[in-house]
Amino acid sequence: MYVIIFEKGDFMSKIILTGDRPTGKMHLGHYVGSFKNRVRLQNSGEFDEVYLMIADSQALTDNFDNPKKVRDNVLEVILFYLACGIDPNKTNIFIQSQVPALAELTFYYMNLVTVSRLYRNPTVKQEIKLRGYDESIPSGFLNYPVSQAADITAFKATTVPVGEDQLPMIEQTREIVNSFNRIYGETLVSPKELLPENKLAKRLPGIDGKSKMSKSLGNCIYLDDSDEIINKKVMSMYTDPNHIKVTDPGSVEGNVVFTYLDVFCEDGDFVNYLPDYKNLDELKEHYKRGGLGDMVIKRFLAKILCDEIRPIREKYLEYKNNLDYVFDVLKVGTENANKKANITLNEVRSHMGIDYFDNENFIKEMKEKFSNN
Ligand code: TRP
């Protein structure tokens, strides 16, 4: 009988890699859509290694003319990671540009992808339109899905927690993995996406209720907003335009205040702040019947959001005053990331036969070849 023992670190490992472009402050949409989930995954004990990447190189593909914006936001991003509960003892936080293996892998993977396939990537297509690139699209931008495949495969990630808009990138990564393994032999690991479970959290609308929360639309609640600003933003929220008098029946569908309550409110909040109701269903019923004013529901939501954001803001400010520590976290995380990515890069080089100085057979082979001729 044979017993096969798999060591930690080989292909049985469960490994997470995910990341964010450092292009702005973090908001409530990031928190419910991904940060909360990442903290849960990090603490689940289900994963052998967890990597969280600040994707500055990718951010430069459409911000190359404004590197200061990208550089300054690297620290913003890690401050919010730490404030939200990412634990550097469990998660390696690192900076993409400081892991050179990623650029080299990208270069080899580019051979495996056609230009027309890149143009067909739905997310890239949409972004090209949005940025008005037309024919003048920088090749670096068109290629960023290939570099994202390098990010994922360098760490042999099995699981990539992302939002729906990133699915085309994971799909392209799997195609690259398949091509690479077919041509050069089994080397790379094929990743699976992990989408957020909570449907509402996937696409938290902005305070205008029109679209997803996004910095460029100016409809965000930021994770370091003060209680005062949170109150102001909630008071300006879009509700039901036909709910004019308090006695009018109101609609909860498409009413941002209720959308947010669906995501954030727990029964305990009623005990603390609105004891006339037992739960959200009761509150909704009253609103639909008429006789419940917008101010009541807005004040209630504001209190809940202030409670949610306060601890994050406080930790954010704490870490902001302790940048030496934050820099150390980044340095150690990046060191670990380099170790891991270099192992993969060496395997890639060896399977491609470009490991000249590490391959004793190569010199022997060449000597034989040239002596025979
Ligand atoms: N494209 C991702 C975003 O815009 C960031 C990212 C870069 C990423 N490399 C990645 C996400 C690898 C997951 C895996 O948010």
Side-chain angles (χ1 to χ4, degrees):
M1 212 174 93
Y2 297 96
V3 180
I4 302 170
I5 299 169
F6 296 112
E7 280 177 9
K8 240 185 144 178
D10 71 14
F11 65 88
M12 291 300 282
S13 298
K14 287 180 81 178
I15 298 174
I16 286 186
L17 174 115
T18 189
D20 299 285
R21 297 183 187 189
T23 50
K25 263 185 194 276
M26 296 297 171
H27 55 61
L28 217 45
H30 294 116
Y31 181 60
V32 294
S34 68
F35 290 6
K36 252 184 156 170
N37 197 32
R38 290 177 188 171
V39 172
R40 192 181 57 75
L41 291 168
Q42 157 201 276
N43 294 335
S44 70
E46 262 185 61
F47 295 89
D48 302 295
E49 295 162 46
V50 183
Y51 296 91
L52 183 50
M53 182 180 77
I54 305 178
D56 63 336
S57 306
Q58 189 176 108
L60 284 166
T61 63
D62 63 338
N63 289 284
F64 58 86
D65 50 354
N66 193 359
K68 186 174 172 2
K69 171 177 155 191
V70 174
R71 190 186 62 182
D72 292 355
N73 277 307
V74 167
L75 279 178
E76 287 290 352
V77 171
I78 188 177
L79 286 169
F80 284 115
Y81 284 166
L82 296 172
C84 289
I86 298 291
D87 176 355
N89 291 315
K90 295 179 180 158
T91 297
N92 290 295
I93 308 172
F94 70 97
I95 307 177
Q96 184 182 26
S97 65
Q98 304 307 300
V99 180
L102 299 177
E104 188 172 332
L105 288 173
T106 303
F107 194 62
Y108 303 140
Y109 295 172
M110 277 163 66
N111 299 329
L112 309 175
V113 183
T114 65
V115 174
S116 66
R117 175 67 183 89
L118 289 167
Y119 274 114
R120 255 187 285 127
N121 182 310
T123 302
V124 173
K125 234 186 199 171
Q126 211 180 8
E127 287 171 325
I128 291 174
K129 234 198 226 152
L130 214 72
R131 287 164 181 69
Y133 279 143
D134 298 322
E135 291 299 300
S136 61
I137 172 168
S139 68
F141 184 82
L142 193 62
N143 252 307
Y144 91 72
V146 181
S147 118
Q148 193 154 334
D151 303 336
I152 294 168
T153 53
F155 297 91
K156 298 202 166 82
T158 50
T159 310
V160 187
V162 280
E164 259 170 349
D165 63 322
Q166 295 296 304
L167 286 180
M169 309 304 159
I170 318 282
E171 191 55 46
Q172 259 199 299
T173 302
R174 282 193 288 260
E175 288 173 23
I176 290 171
V177 168
N178 286 341
S179 304
F180 193 100
N181 288 350
R182 185 168 37 79
I183 298 169
Y184 304 110
E186 205 60 35
T187 318
L188 304 174
V189 175
S190 199
K192 280 207 175 69
E193 65 277 0
L194 185 65
L195 294 171
E197 279 164 27
N198 186 335
K199 268 210 176 114
L200 281 168
K202 262 191 213 168
R203 230 175 190 278
L204 189 73
I207 55 174
D208 56 0
K210 284 195 197 111
S211 46
K212 202 169 148 177
M213 197 175 268
S214 130
K215 192 183 173 205
S216 52
L217 297 171
N219 62 3
C220 300
I221 296 180
Y222 292 103
L223 294 176
D224 66 335
D225 276 350
S226 65
D227 285 3
E228 201 189 328
I229 292 175
I230 295 169
N231 267 294
K232 240 193 229 153
K233 288 181 175 172
V234 172
M235 292 309 148
S236 77
M237 269 183 180
Y238 178 88
T239 56
D240 171 6
N242 298 317
H243 186 241
I244 299 162
K245 286 189 286 188
V246 172
T247 48
D248 289 341
S251 170
V252 299
E253 256 101 72
N255 183 324
V256 194
V257 177
F258 280 103
T259 309
Y260 277 53
L261 285 173
D262 275 327
V263 176
F264 294 100
C265 166
E266 286 164 14
D267 289 355
D269 296 319
F270 285 94
V271 181
N272 292 333
Y273 298 129
L274 215 53
D276 289 348
Y277 305 86
K278 263 212 289 301
N279 53 40
L280 193 52
D281 287 337
E282 273 189 26
L283 189 75
K284 282 181 179 172
E285 278 315 309
H286 193 183
Y287 194 80
K288 286 196 262 189
R289 253 192 342 261
L292 177 59
D294 281 353
M295 278 312 271
V296 176
I297 56 166
K298 283 183 171 176
R299 270 198 216 110
F300 181 50
L301 175 63
K303 283 184 182 140
I304 293 172
L305 291 185
C306 284
D307 285 352
E308 189 91 33
I309 289 180
R310 193 175 305 116
I312 299 175
R313 181 182 61 234
E314 282 169 3
K315 276 200 229 137
Y316 169 84
L317 294 174
E318 231 174 78
Y319 286 118
K320 217 174 176 175
N321 287 320
N322 206 348
L323 284 186
D324 286 336
Y325 167 76
V326 176
F327 249 92
D328 278 346
V329 167
L330 275 175
K331 263 194 211 151
V332 173
T334 302
E335 246 171 56
N336 292 337
N338 268 310
K339 273 185 209 146
K340 179 79 180 186
N342 283 334
I343 293 173
T344 306
L345 178 62
N346 282 334
E347 288 165 4
V348 160
R349 286 178 176 176
S350 134
H351 288 193
M352 291 178 74
I354 52 173
D355 53 345
Y356 309 102
F357 301 124
D358 303 319
N359 189 340
E360 284 161 19
N361 283 335
F362 171 67
I363 287 284
K364 224 168 85 191
E365 230 178 78
M366 287 300 118
K367 276 185 182 159
E368 272 167 27
K369 181 181 165 190
F370 286 112
S371 65
N372 286 344
N373 285 338

